[in-house]
Amino acid sequence: MSVCCKYCGMSARDARSLMNGWCPKHPDGSCKGKHALYEGGERDEYICVYCGTKNRSLSSLLGGWCSKHPDGSCKGKHVAYDGRESGPYECKYCGREFRDIASLVGSWCPKHPNGPSRGKHSPAR
Ligand SMILES: [Zn+2]
Ligand SMILES: [Zn+2]
Ligand SMILES: [Zn+2]
Protein backbone atom coordinates (compact mmCIF):
# COMPACT_ATOMS: atom_id res chain seq x y z
CA MET A 1 0.00 0.00 0.00
CA SER A 2 1.30 3.45 -0.85
CA VAL A 3 0.63 6.85 0.65
CA CYS A 4 -0.18 10.08 -1.16
CA CYS A 5 0.34 13.81 -0.64
CA LYS A 6 -2.92 15.70 -0.12
CA TYR A 7 -1.65 18.76 -2.01
CA CYS A 8 -0.01 17.34 -5.13
CA GLY A 9 -1.08 13.69 -5.13
CA MET A 10 2.48 12.38 -5.26
CA SER A 11 2.71 8.86 -3.92
CA ALA A 12 5.46 7.36 -1.83
CA ARG A 13 6.22 4.05 -0.16
CA ASP A 14 5.58 5.30 3.35
CA ALA A 15 4.51 8.44 5.20
CA ARG A 16 7.98 9.26 6.47
CA SER A 17 9.65 9.41 3.09
CA LEU A 18 6.64 11.31 1.68
CA MET A 19 6.83 14.01 4.32
CA ASN A 20 10.57 14.46 3.84
CA GLY A 21 10.11 15.94 0.39
CA TRP A 22 9.27 19.49 -0.62
CA CYS A 23 5.84 19.82 -2.18
CA PRO A 24 5.59 21.70 -5.50
CA LYS A 25 1.92 22.44 -4.76
CA HIS A 26 2.14 23.41 -1.11
CA PRO A 27 -0.54 25.97 -0.11
CA ASP A 28 2.17 28.34 1.18
CA GLY A 29 3.85 28.31 -2.23
CA SER A 30 5.75 25.95 -4.47
CA CYS A 31 8.26 24.00 -2.34
CA LYS A 32 7.67 26.31 0.63
CA GLY A 33 6.60 23.30 2.66
CA LYS A 34 6.77 19.52 2.76
CA HIS A 35 4.28 17.05 1.33
CA ALA A 36 1.45 16.25 3.73
CA LEU A 37 -0.16 12.87 4.15
CA TYR A 38 -3.54 12.37 2.51
CA GLU A 39 -5.36 10.44 5.22
CA GLY A 40 -8.15 9.05 3.10
CA GLY A 41 -6.11 6.06 1.95
CA GLU A 42 -6.52 4.42 -1.45
CA ARG A 43 -9.98 4.88 -2.94
CA ASP A 44 -11.94 4.04 -6.06
CA GLU A 45 -12.54 7.73 -6.56
CA TYR A 46 -11.56 10.97 -4.89
CA ILE A 47 -14.00 13.82 -4.24
CA CYS A 48 -13.42 17.57 -3.91
CA VAL A 49 -14.71 19.00 -0.61
CA TYR A 50 -15.74 22.29 -2.25
CA CYS A 51 -17.46 21.33 -5.48
CA GLY A 52 -18.01 17.56 -5.29
CA THR A 53 -16.03 16.85 -8.46
CA LYS A 54 -14.93 13.23 -8.60
CA ASN A 55 -11.84 11.74 -10.14
CA ARG A 56 -10.41 8.25 -10.09
CA SER A 57 -6.92 9.65 -9.75
CA LEU A 58 -5.95 11.76 -6.73
CA SER A 59 -3.26 13.67 -8.59
CA SER A 60 -5.54 14.63 -11.47
CA LEU A 61 -8.25 15.76 -9.04
CA LEU A 62 -5.73 17.91 -7.18
CA GLY A 63 -4.38 19.30 -10.46
CA GLY A 64 -7.70 20.81 -11.51
CA TRP A 65 -8.97 24.30 -10.75
CA CYS A 66 -11.99 24.33 -8.46
CA SER A 67 -14.96 26.39 -9.62
CA LYS A 68 -16.24 26.62 -6.04
CA HIS A 69 -12.99 27.33 -4.25
CA PRO A 70 -13.49 29.50 -1.11
CA ASP A 71 -10.89 32.00 -2.41
CA GLY A 72 -13.00 32.49 -5.53
CA SER A 73 -13.98 30.55 -8.62
CA CYS A 74 -10.86 28.83 -10.02
CA LYS A 75 -8.59 30.74 -7.63
CA GLY A 76 -7.45 27.45 -6.14
CA LYS A 77 -7.29 23.74 -6.86
CA HIS A 78 -9.69 21.01 -5.76
CA VAL A 79 -9.11 19.66 -2.26
CA ALA A 80 -9.67 15.95 -1.72
CA TYR A 81 -12.09 14.77 0.93
CA ASP A 82 -10.35 12.37 3.29
CA GLY A 83 -13.16 11.38 5.62
CA ARG A 84 -15.35 8.31 5.49
CA GLU A 85 -15.65 6.39 2.26
CA SER A 86 -19.40 5.94 2.16
CA GLY A 87 -22.39 7.96 3.27
CA PRO A 88 -24.25 9.34 5.01
CA TYR A 89 -22.02 12.38 5.23
CA GLU A 90 -22.67 15.02 7.84
CA CYS A 91 -22.26 18.80 7.50
CA LYS A 92 -19.73 20.05 10.03
CA TYR A 93 -21.70 23.26 10.63
CA CYS A 94 -25.33 22.21 10.86
CA GLY A 95 -25.13 18.41 11.25
CA ARG A 96 -27.48 17.69 8.37
CA GLU A 97 -26.85 14.35 6.67
CA PHE A 98 -26.48 13.68 2.95
CA ARG A 99 -26.14 10.50 0.92
CA ASP A 100 -23.24 11.84 -1.11
CA ILE A 101 -20.65 14.60 -0.96
CA ALA A 102 -21.79 16.23 -4.20
CA SER A 103 -25.24 17.05 -2.84
CA LEU A 104 -23.82 18.08 0.53
CA VAL A 105 -21.44 20.65 -0.93
CA GLY A 106 -24.04 21.68 -3.51
CA SER A 107 -26.56 23.24 -1.15
CA TRP A 108 -26.63 26.25 1.14
CA CYS A 109 -25.95 25.79 4.84
CA PRO A 110 -28.25 27.56 7.33
CA LYS A 111 -25.45 27.57 9.92
CA HIS A 112 -22.52 28.57 7.75
CA PRO A 113 -19.86 30.59 9.68
CA ASN A 114 -20.16 33.42 7.11
CA GLY A 115 -23.88 33.70 7.95
CA PRO A 116 -27.05 31.72 7.21
CA SER A 117 -27.00 30.51 3.61
CA ARG A 118 -23.88 32.58 2.81
CA GLY A 119 -21.96 29.39 2.07
CA LYS A 120 -22.41 25.73 1.27
CA HIS A 121 -22.43 22.77 3.65
CA SER A 122 -18.99 21.34 4.34
CA PRO A 123 -18.35 17.67 5.13
CA ALA A 124 -17.28 16.71 8.64
CA ARG A 125 -14.62 14.03 8.90
ZN1 LIG B 1 2.90 17.24 -2.29
ZN1 LIG C 1 -13.44 21.45 -6.36
ZN1 LIG D 1 -24.62 22.65 6.89
Side-chain angles (χ1 to χ4, degrees), residues 34-101:
K34 304 290 179 83
H35 298 293
L37 181 64
Y38 171 70
E39 289 174 22
E42 289 185 70
R43 302 183 170 212
D44 292 342
E45 54 184 10
Y46 300 89
I47 307 173
C48 173
V49 292
Y50 301 131
C51 66
T53 291
K54 296 177 184 173
N55 201 303
R56 294 179 60 88
S57 141
L58 180 60
S59 52
S60 27
L61 178 75
L62 297 173
W65 296 102
C66 182
S67 61
K68 307 234 171 98
H69 196 276
D71 292 344
S73 186
C74 298
K75 292 259 170 74
K77 304 291 177 80
H78 299 297
V79 170
Y81 176 67
D82 61 3
R84 57 176 81 167
E85 277 197 67
S86 60
Y89 302 97
E90 205 180 299
C91 170
K92 67 179 171 192
Y93 306 128
C94 68
R96 198 174 143 193
E97 288 188 343
F98 292 83
R99 264 206 348 269
D100 57 77
I101 294 280

